[in-house]
Amino acid sequence: MAYPFELPELGFAYDALEPHIDARTMEIHHSKHHAGYTKKLNAALEGHADLHGYSAGQLLRGLDGLPASVQSGVRNNGGGFHNHALFWDVLTPGGSAAPTGGLASAIDAAFGSVDALKEKLNAAAGSQFGSGWGWLAISPFGELQVMATANQDSPLLDGYTPIFGVDVWEHAYYLHYQNRRPDYLSAIWNVVNWDRVGARYEAAKDGWIETA
Ligand code: MN
């Protein structure tokens, strides 16, 4: 997708992730917050026709090379656009059983077990001060890593490719969980679409290798 960016449709109904994520939170999160980032990303790029052919991921990876006047708009709203598109894609009603194939092997090699990954990611996301995201990402060296970022910063800004992310802005959980971020982080694993995380892993795991 490139300019003008459009709000991606959810692959499920707003109430489909109940009780883990409530319908009202999903509706506001998608139709207000994500829609807002989409609109503001387009506004930031409006007068820059030379950038209209790039995806949000490309713009974030190449942020330092963009005109100074669009960098904060792309970082914040392009990040918000891209992060939420990924977030919806790796969620599914009821979740999917567990990682399989290459992703399962890579998780075991990097963290020891899926439970150890969950614990590490929940710790990183849980201790992110203020607004941000917790991530499972592939490093520039092809290794799986858990990380957290502030605000709408994408791991792409630092050369990491996110394959799973959990939003820890209060708008992602406050209506149902109030200040109980750890409860939200525990519940999120019930609705993870491991098939999509696995597909993202397969697509990105060798992406860091340069051909020349
Ligand atoms: Mn959000």
Side-chain angles (χ1 to χ4, degrees):
M1 194 189 293
Y3 179 93
F5 293 93
E6 293 176 12
L7 178 65
E9 286 186 19
L10 286 182
F12 43 82
Y14 287 136
D15 64 357
L17 304 181
E18 294 263 11
H20 309 294
I21 306 180
D22 65 285
R24 183 74 175 134
T25 293
M26 284 301 299
E27 181 178 359
I28 296 169
H29 204 169
H30 179 256
S31 72
K32 303 297 183 188
H33 291 277
H34 196 186
Y37 296 122
T38 306
K39 189 177 171 185
K40 289 175 188 168
L41 172 60
N42 286 330
L45 296 171
E46 193 175 1
H48 296 270
D50 53 323
L51 303 178
H52 289 180
Y54 298 121
S55 69
Q58 287 175 311
L59 292 167
L60 290 163
R61 279 194 205 93
L63 188 80
D64 291 345
L66 299 181
S69 59
V70 302
Q71 285 194 12
S72 66
V74 169
R75 181 175 186 161
N76 295 325
N77 296 298
F81 173 81
H82 192 268
N83 293 343
H84 289 87
L86 185 151
F87 190 37
W88 312 140
D89 183 57
V90 296
L91 299 178
T92 192
S96 58
T100 56
L103 175 63
S105 304
I107 289 173
D108 286 347
F111 307 106
S113 67
V114 176
D115 283 346
L117 160 65
K118 292 177 180 176
E119 193 174 322
K120 190 166 188 180
L121 208 157
N122 284 3
S127 61
Q128 171 60 40
F129 183 76
S131 298
W133 291 75
W135 303 102
L136 177 62
I138 300 175
S139 80
F141 303 100
E143 298 161 338
L144 275 184
Q145 286 194 21
V146 161
M147 60 196 297
T149 60
N151 304 314
Q152 293 296 353
D153 284 355
S154 168
L156 293 171
L157 299 175
D158 293 319
Y160 290 75
T161 304
I163 61 170
F164 171 76
V166 57
D167 189 345
V168 292
W169 285 57
E170 284 188 342
H171 68 228
Y173 62 86
Y174 204 85
L175 290 180
H176 185 69
Y177 294 95
Q178 292 83 49
N179 62 323
R180 302 188 306 278
R181 187 188 286 188
D183 291 353
Y184 159 71
L185 286 170
S186 296
I188 199 77
W189 300 106
N190 295 307
V191 290
V192 172
N193 190 339
W194 286 110
D195 295 338
R196 289 298 302 147
V197 181
R200 286 178 174 275
Y201 173 75
E202 292 301 330
K205 66 178 179 173
D206 297 327
W208 59 279
I209 296 174
E210 301 287 351
T211 54

